[in-house]
Amino acid sequence: SKTSGSGGSFKLSYYNEYKSYLREAKMVVPPTFSDLGKVAKDVFNKGFSIGSTKLNVKSKTSTNVSLNPCFEVKNDQLACSFETSGSPCEGITLKEKWSSENVIKTNIVAENKLAKGLKLDLEVVVNPASSKKSAVVKTAYKTDCFNGTLDADLNLAGPTFVATAVSGYQGFQGGFEVGFNTEKSKMTKNTFALGYALNDLTLVGFVRDLAVFDGYVHHKVCDKTQVAVNFNWNNQSSAAAFAFGAKHQLDDVTSLSAKIDGSGKTTLGCTHKVKSWLDVTLSSQLNAKSLQGVTNGLSFEANL
């Protein structure tokens, strides 16, 4: 009986340690489908402002209400928008955005209210001038090794559903995106993705409509330098395209960005933190083959 008691104590101790491990283990949630390969996409999309002059201001009041006016001059036209968001209670967020095109977009977001990891978002878009209205219900659920979404527009003639799901395990990630129009009984989206992300390397490939292959590779060379490659191949037209991008943090206040595609279109960008609350981005684009078609852009972003 003495041996039996010793064995029971050992099992109880092991069980308690296992429960403690489960409590301390961090939940690993994969990214959403739209965020697959985001580190590579950011190298190509962020740090550039081409063909426009833009001012983006972000501020937050003492009551945690966010204010975000934005002004952009492009093609001799001024486009403005004003966005505000706040949380009247825990787990509920209200957002509203007005644009110079007289379009009002309102979002009511509830997160972790009905279930842990569940997010509900009702988006309503109204154009008072044309009396056009539209609404979309967005749902998202994330848990260990899974991240999924389901969106549906509230079209009385027949809603369109868009569903995504991503699963990940030990660096490997796979997912799909499917869209279906119930009014026309037609599939509108059909995309599969497979990727791998670990430490300084990220790989992800997309197959769209079983016809277009799109791939991204991202490598973090060091703490200050990162490079990315994008390649695209269309099975139907046999057309291929590629792009190379790089970003380097020159110092604590200045970063340099560059990208070039297969056609020779080259874009350079420089972002400098003038003040602790103000970032200025200057960009220039030209055709490297002909050294013509120069386009410049300037962007100011203030975080007050």
Side-chain angles (χ1 to χ4, degrees), residues 106-122:
T106 304
N107 292 77
I108 304 175
V109 183
E111 192 167 2
N112 296 324
K113 298 295 285 184
L114 298 180
K116 184 178 180 181
L118 179 63
K119 180 179 178 181
L120 304 175
D121 182 359
L122 173 62

Side-chain angles (χ1 to χ4, degrees), residues 169-173 195-203 218-220:
Y169 182 72
Q170 293 187 350
F172 290 94
Q173 299 169 348
Y196 177 78
L198 189 65
N199 298 330
D200 60 350
L201 179 66
T202 299
L203 308 170
H218 176 269
H219 175 48
K220 187 175 182 181

Side-chain angles (χ1 to χ4, degrees), residues 78-82 97-105 125-133:
L78 175 63
C80 310
S81 67
F82 180 75
K97 182 177 181 179
W98 299 271
S99 71
S100 54
E101 297 176 349
N102 199 22
V103 175
I104 303 173
K105 183 173 72 172
V125 180
V126 179
N127 188 330
S130 63
S131 299
K132 290 184 178 180
K133 305 179 183 67

Side-chain angles (χ1 to χ4, degrees), residues 96-259:
E96 193 151 9
K97 182 177 181 179
W98 299 271
S99 71
S100 54
E101 297 176 349
N102 199 22
V103 175
I104 303 173
K105 183 173 72 172
T106 304
N107 292 77
I108 304 175
V109 183
E111 192 167 2
N112 296 324
K113 298 295 285 184
L114 298 180
K116 184 178 180 181
L118 179 63
K119 180 179 178 181
L120 304 175
D121 182 359
L122 173 62
E123 179 179 288
V124 180
V125 180
V126 179
N127 188 330
S130 63
S131 299
K132 290 184 178 180
K133 305 179 183 67
S134 64
V136 179
V137 176
K138 303 178 181 180
T139 62
Y141 179 72
K142 59 184 179 181
T143 185
D144 194 13
C145 299
F146 177 81
N147 199 331
T149 65
L150 176 61
D151 302 344
D153 62 4
L154 302 182
N155 186 354
L156 298 179
T160 297
F161 293 92
V162 178
T164 70
V166 177
S167 182
Y169 182 72
Q170 293 187 350
F172 290 94
Q173 299 169 348
F176 68 86
E177 180 182 39
V178 176
F180 186 77
N181 187 324
T182 58
E183 180 183 5
K184 299 179 180 179
S185 298
K186 180 181 178 182
M187 185 173 290
T188 58
K189 290 184 178 181
N190 179 20
T191 305
F192 296 90
L194 184 64
Y196 177 78
L198 189 65
N199 298 330
D200 60 350
L201 179 66
T202 299
L203 308 170
V204 63
F206 300 89
V207 180
R208 310 182 194 277
D209 300 322
L210 300 178
V212 179
F213 177 79
D214 199 17
Y216 289 91
V217 179
H218 176 269
H219 175 48
K220 187 175 182 181
V221 181
C222 60
D223 291 340
K224 294 185 177 182
T225 305
Q226 51 184 316
V227 296
V229 177
N230 170 234
F231 46 93
N232 180 283
W233 179 64
N234 191 315
N235 184 33
Q236 296 178 343
S237 63
S238 297
F242 77 92
F244 174 81
K247 184 176 181 180
H248 178 70
Q249 192 70 34
L250 196 61
D251 51 39
D252 293 339
V253 295
T254 306
S255 64
L256 304 176
S257 301
K259 60 181 179 179

